[in-house]
Amino acid sequence: MDVSFILDALNDKQREAVAAPLQNSLVLAGAGSGKTRVLVHRIAWLMHAYEISPYSLMAVTFTNKAAREMQGRIEQLVGVPPQGMWVGTFHGIAHRLLRAHWRDAGLKENFQIMDSDDQQRLVKRIMREMNIDETRWPPKQVCWFINAQKDEGRRAAHVPDSHDPFSRGMREMYYHYEEACEKNGLLDFGELLLRAHELMLTTPALLKHYQQRFVHVLVDEFQDTNTIQYAWLRLMVGETGTITAVGDDDQSIYGWRGAKIENIQNLSKHFKDLHTIRLEQNYRSTGHILKAANGLISNNDDRLGKELWTDSGEGEPISVYAGFNEQDEARFIIEIIKKWRDDGTALKDMAILYRSNAQSRVIEEVLVREQIAYRIYGGHRFYDRLEIKNALAYARLAIDPNDDGAMERVINVPTRGIGERSIGTIREMARDQGCSMWQAADQIVTHGLLPARAANAIKGFMQLIQGMAGTLQNPDLGLGDIFDQIIAEAGLIPYHEKEKGEKGEARVENLKELVNAASGFNWLETDEEFSSPMMAFLDQAVLDAGEAQADEYQDSVQLMTLHSAKGLEFPLVFLAGVEENLFPSRMSFEEPGRLEEERRLCYVGITRAMQKLYITYAESRRLYGSESFNSPSRFIREIPQECLEEVRLRSQVARPVSMQRPDYSATLQRQNQNILQGHTVPDTNVSMGDRVKHPIFGEGLVVNYEGQGPQARVQVNFDDAGTKWLVLSFAKLEVL
Ligand code: ATP
Ligand code: MG
């Protein structure tokens, strides 16, 4: 069989990697140079040129999505699916091993996997049993500690004893946690890896079997493997197998989760005769995009060093847009998206990338308003997030205490001593009497149907909700203030603050962002049928969470954090919120090495773009509940200036003089009054009867105006595009 076609669409270096003899090799190369492509072709080559059965191959990818894609691409290349081949993530493959050999692994046959929420619940239960103070040892931090130990391959017994009572406590809880997991057949994510490693170590016959079976192991995104993953790989490959690892030290972005860049350097020590191949041609991006990425990353020390080039031409420069606030930034992005869409680009070919999950809300709102389908990867949509749903559930209970769903959700969040037993009793009683859980709880409290401690805890909760109902009635409070108080009274901020790591911080940020969203909620715009702004807000949140999400097959704009964008590519990419303190994040200034990791993250972001990249930032931003004025990110300065082009508004219509919100709307109101009176509006020069030009709709006549404040709109009768309402503060109208 002639298999040379497998090498056809490859350059010399790629061909060398693909057609190499069975040996240990490392492909070390920058973004978009074809590393993943090499892996796919290498698998096809091994199967067809060397006639290695797919059964003898294992490929490790970074996500399950990448695994499916890889299988699809192999099938496309050689016409048959690689049957029997193991393709998956480290966790996925470890899980498979443990299911197959549960007995050898010392597991129950029906062992269960816990996600991080389950894990935390279990930790809490254990802490309660041990009578441990949650304020001193926040459960989230305990989970963090346990996971970090497991990533390093340490069981509780391996954690060095310490005189420091805090570390002692942690170690103690790890012991008890292990015991509880063992007893109940529960495995957390870290345990999958650790247990799979131990399985191989303790069962030599099994190890030998797999070492003989897997003739060749291939690993994508190798730079982000952690200690236990690396150790497991070494075992599986053993003396007889060989490995192909592909990676890019400049794209190592999971150091904060235990990934070890050093694993790349160690490869040559642990895998004999390692053959290293470097790829330097980039096939993904235009010259400008690539030059920007190269320039940026050259600011990092400690690189293995490589330079990428492309022969695809310079392309357009990178556009940098300074929004005057986050709303303006979102609007700008969506305007460009509409332009590309109208020019025939599919929505799925456009991606909006951001540093922090909380940034998505403003962008989502504009997308919903403009009825553009979108999809969020690797993270929940804003109103779908656990902490947001909890806060909303409190508000719902305050409006209607008989809302059982809301009651179930938050009765013991944060933990307030209402255990599963109490909740079970309430539930049963409600069922028996056909009443709501609230009413059942009320009876339990008044008739003393539960032990005093439990009854008191329930009573406390009911008083809390009644207090919130009072807050809701206070006519002096705006919607934002109400949420601020509800969140404070419920104790949600300290509850999440106690969680260590990015997730806890993100949750606190999201809660503050909710207050923000509520303050900015425009009650005037919504239908009259709602009895209160709160009702209108809650309904909109539910709709936002449920309906607008495009299904997997619908053409939709792709939204994701920079971390989830690894390995992907899109013709049009936006990097949003490229500001100091946000990206690089404020936290990265404190820990050594973190700033360089942020820069690598920016490198990952830039190199996702194929044709065109937009970098946007906002001069003022309301995020996490407060307004900040950040300067443009240092990363923008680090990009060679000749690659950049600043987007300027052709005419800065209604640009507020001050960035402060109150002044902002006052300014706009003044401007509107002037329009009404037929005067020329200061700053903008737009008045009724003017002929204006819009960058997309062309020329037209200003015929009407409506609304006040940031929502002020003008109606323009365009010569070609017909009559349109435009938001005065954002439409780029030029007066002719
Ligand atoms: P990343 O570091 O972002 O994961 P990568 O090195 O894995 O990138 P690939 O995704 O494999 O790069 O390739 C980038 C793009 O370039 C893909 O669209 C791929 O199909 C294309 N490509 C790679 N090599 C070639 C080639 N020799 N000829 C044509 N296209 C190529
Ligand atoms: Mg790749």
Side-chain angles (χ1 to χ4, degrees):
M1 178 180 173
D2 181 20
V3 291
S4 58
F5 69 91
I6 294 173
L7 303 178
D8 279 352
L10 298 172
N11 67 31
D12 287 349
K13 281 282 165 193
Q14 291 173 335
R15 212 169 280 151
E16 183 189 333
V18 168
L22 261 189
Q23 62 184 6
N24 291 316
S25 46
L26 165 67
V27 179
L28 183 64
S33 58
K35 295 183 297 299
T36 303
R37 187 182 178 98
V38 161
L39 277 194
V40 168
H41 286 248
R42 175 92 172 133
I43 291 166
W45 186 258
L46 293 173
M47 282 163 49
H48 291 268
Y50 296 160
E51 296 185 338
I52 295 175
S53 156
Y55 175 84
S56 300
L57 298 174
M58 171 160 75
V60 187
T61 57
F62 202 72
T63 59
N64 291 314
K65 185 166 174 266
R68 282 194 301 273
E69 246 170 56
M70 184 171 278
Q71 276 170 316
R73 285 209 230 163
I74 296 167
E75 181 172 351
Q76 228 172 25
L77 197 58
V78 297
V80 287
Q83 252 171 16
M85 186 168 108
W86 280 24
V87 197
T89 61
F90 278 107
H91 288 101
I93 291 174
H95 177 221
R96 185 170 183 165
L97 278 172
L98 296 178
R99 283 278 175 225
H101 309 288
W102 55 272
R103 212 187 302 263
D104 288 320
L107 293 168
K108 297 183 187 227
E109 186 174 7
N110 58 350
F111 69 84
Q112 299 276 321
I113 298 175
M114 293 184 284
D115 68 15
S116 49
D117 286 340
D118 302 331
Q119 183 189 27
Q120 199 179 329
R121 262 196 298 274
L122 176 63
V123 164
K124 276 188 186 162
R125 207 178 82 205
I126 292 164
M127 293 177 68
R128 236 171 291 136
E129 281 162 15
M130 291 171 70
N131 244 329
I132 284 183
D133 180 7
E134 281 193 17
T135 52
R136 250 202 99 201
W137 281 278
K140 191 73 203 194
Q141 203 174 336
V142 178
C143 292
W144 194 261
F145 172 86
I146 292 172
N147 296 341
Q149 299 308 319
K150 291 191 178 185
D151 283 347
E152 290 295 316
R154 284 193 288 266
R155 294 249 165 243
H158 304 143
V159 179
D161 198 2
S162 151
H163 294 298
D164 155 33
F166 186 76
S167 316
R168 273 221 148 138
M170 284 291 190
R171 184 166 171 262
E172 188 83 346
M173 281 181 270
Y174 187 9
Y175 262 118
H176 283 83
Y177 173 83
E178 269 182 346
E179 238 172 55
C181 288
E182 206 63 42
K183 198 170 114 210
N184 299 302
L186 298 171
L187 273 74
D188 59 48
F189 288 141
E191 182 71 23
L192 290 172
L193 301 173
L194 182 53
R195 189 66 74 130
H197 183 245
E198 287 172 349
L199 171 67
M200 291 301 144
L201 277 181
T202 54
T203 330
L206 211 56
L207 178 62
K208 196 163 159 218
H209 164 79
Y210 281 108
Q211 285 179 341
Q212 278 170 355
R213 168 174 174 175
F214 293 119
V215 172
H216 201 72
V217 175
L218 306 100
V219 190
D220 201 359
E221 307 277 5
F222 185 77
Q223 74 280 356
D224 276 322
T225 49
N226 66 22
T227 302
I228 190 75
Q229 290 165 342
Y230 183 70
W232 177 80
L233 267 179
R234 277 182 69 190
L235 272 181
M236 294 295 276
V237 174
E239 291 300 312
T240 47
T242 45
I243 189 172
T244 296
V246 310
D248 177 5
D249 55 310
D250 289 332
Q251 294 187 70
S252 167
I253 54 176
Y254 282 93
W256 56 281
R257 254 208 228 157
K260 294 271 158 38
I261 256 189
E262 305 88 274
N263 288 343
I264 296 185
Q265 279 112 316
N266 284 336
L267 266 182
S268 62
K269 278 186 237 153
H270 298 140
F271 295 88
K272 62 173 186 284
D273 305 325
L274 185 79
H275 182 63
T276 301
I277 295 166
R278 289 173 183 260
L279 309 175
E280 261 141 19
Q281 182 170 1
N282 170 295
Y283 289 90
R284 179 180 293 151
S285 311
T286 65
H288 275 309
I289 292 168
L290 206 56
K291 195 166 177 191
N294 283 338
L296 172 91
I297 201 67
S298 70
N299 288 281
N300 271 4
D301 297 331
D302 259 356
R303 299 175 56 216
L304 298 176
K306 52 192 136 41
E307 203 62 17
L308 284 174
W309 61 277
T310 174
D311 63 8
S312 68
E314 284 209 316
E316 277 185 46
I318 294 167
S319 297
V320 178
Y321 178 75
F324 61 80
N325 60 21
E326 75 285 0
Q327 306 272 348
D328 178 40
E329 180 190 44
R331 252 171 215 286
F332 172 79
I333 292 173
I334 279 65
E335 222 170 275
I336 302 287
I337 285 178
K338 281 159 73 178
K339 208 149 66 182
W340 277 63
R341 178 195 63 187
D342 296 345
D343 288 346
T345 305
L347 294 176
K348 68 169 174 34
D349 289 336
M350 313 182 201
I352 307 174
L353 313 179
Y354 36 82
R355 175 68 182 87
S356 148
N357 268 317
Q359 280 171 261
S360 74
R361 183 188 60 82
V362 175
I363 299 169
E364 285 180 62
E365 278 176 5
V366 181
L367 285 163
V368 169
R369 193 156 60 229
E370 298 286 340
Q371 301 186 334
I372 295 173
Y374 68 98
R375 202 180 158 74
I376 295 200
Y377 281 93
H380 292 301
R381 294 158 53 89
F382 187 74
Y383 291 112
D384 259 352
R385 292 179 185 140
L386 170 121
E387 63 280 10
I388 300 300
K389 278 177 141 174
N390 288 346
L392 295 180
Y394 274 106
R396 274 164 47 202
L397 268 184
I399 290 179
D400 175 13
N402 298 319
D403 185 333
D404 283 354
M407 178 112 160
E408 286 262 9
R409 203 175 167 94
V410 293
I411 187 164
N412 203 32
V413 175
T415 7
R416 50 174 67 91
I418 306 180
E420 259 314 306
R421 286 262 297 285
S422 303
I423 300 174
T425 312
I426 297 175
R427 229 182 261 134
E428 247 167 62
M429 175 132 185
R431 207 178 38 229
D432 292 349
Q433 314 233 333
C435 62
S436 73
M437 284 178 69
W438 179 272
Q439 287 158 341
D442 193 35
Q443 288 191 39
I444 287 171
V445 172
T446 21
H447 299 115
L449 302 178
L450 273 174
R453 224 175 100 202
N456 280 337
I458 295 171
K459 198 167 161 190
F461 173 71
M462 296 178 80
Q463 282 165 349
L464 176 71
I465 299 296
Q466 280 157 347
M468 288 177 184
T471 306
L472 213 57
Q473 303 299 327
N474 186 339
D476 295 335
L477 298 179
L479 202 52
D481 307 319
I482 293 177
F483 266 107
D484 201 24
Q485 286 207 14
I486 286 181
I487 290 168
E489 284 163 21
L492 291 172
I493 301 262
Y495 170 64
H496 290 299
E497 260 168 5
K498 276 186 250 148
E499 304 175 4
K500 202 180 171 238
E502 296 227 337
K503 207 162 171 192
E505 274 165 42
R507 293 206 155 130
V508 171
E509 287 164 0
N510 285 333
L511 284 174
K512 293 184 180 164
E513 189 59 17
L514 175 65
V515 173
N516 219 9
S519 320
F521 181 65
N522 197 341
W523 162 237
L524 293 173
E525 257 196 355
T526 52
D527 291 339
E528 305 277 319
E529 67 210 40
F530 297 101
S531 55
S532 70
M534 179 59 95
M535 289 288 290
F537 182 79
L538 290 176
D539 270 24
Q540 189 180 312
V542 175
L543 285 178
D544 260 4
E547 271 177 20
Q549 174 91 323
D551 66 50
E552 199 161 352
Y553 304 102
Q554 189 183 351
D555 185 31
S556 49
V557 176
Q558 315 285 299
L559 266 66
M560 66 195 86
T561 62
L562 286 148
H563 278 102
S564 340
K566 204 165 75 152
L568 307 178
E569 59 188 24
F570 308 92
L572 174 64
V573 169
F574 298 87
L575 297 189
V578 188
E579 297 145 34
E580 283 295 294
N581 294 322
L582 185 56
F583 190 31
S585 79
R586 200 173 310 127
M587 294 174 303
S588 70
F589 304 147
E590 286 153 24
E591 266 173 74
R594 279 289 288 274
L595 184 64
E596 295 216 336
E597 185 152 305
E598 292 283 301
R599 192 175 280 112
R600 291 194 292 270
L601 193 56
C602 188
Y603 174 81
V604 168
I606 293 174
T607 53
R608 297 311 98 198
M610 301 165 80
Q611 256 172 280
K612 175 77 188 177
L613 174 67
Y614 281 88
I615 294 179
T616 62
Y617 62 93
E619 289 168 353
S620 85
R621 177 180 299 275
R622 284 192 75 84
L623 191 70
Y624 318 144
S626 63
E627 182 146 14
S628 51
F629 301 86
N630 295 318
S631 45
S633 169
R634 70 189 70 192
F635 297 152
I636 297 179
R637 278 198 310 279
E638 291 173 1
I639 294 173
Q641 289 309 299
E642 65 268 28
C643 307
L644 300 178
E645 175 189 70
E646 208 175 326
V647 182
R648 293 210 169 276
L649 299 176
R650 260 195 261 168
S651 141
Q652 304 197 324
V653 180
R655 189 183 172 98
V657 179
S658 158
M659 297 300 165
Q660 300 296 330
R661 284 242 156 153
D663 295 344
Y664 172 127
S665 53
T667 311
L668 283 166
Q669 254 163 28
R670 230 178 13 254
Q671 288 160 355
N672 285 320
Q673 274 156 15
N674 286 333
I675 290 181
L676 189 64
Q677 291 154 12
H679 291 311
T680 300
V681 180
D683 301 340
T684 70
N685 301 324
V686 175
S687 47
M688 294 266 280
D690 270 350
R691 271 195 80 71
V692 291
K693 189 170 169 194
H694 185 273
I696 296 165
F697 303 127
E699 290 184 20
L701 191 72
V702 178
V703 295
N704 204 350
Y705 100 104
E706 184 187 273
Q708 290 188 334
Q711 252 63 39
R713 306 193 292 169
V714 290
Q715 192 182 31
V716 182
N717 197 351
F718 288 105
D719 301 348
D720 293 324
T723 309
K724 296 214 182 295
W725 281 99
L726 301 168
V727 176
L728 185 59
S729 51
F730 298 104
K732 292 178 240 161
L733 291 180
E734 186 187 351
V735 180
L736 298 172

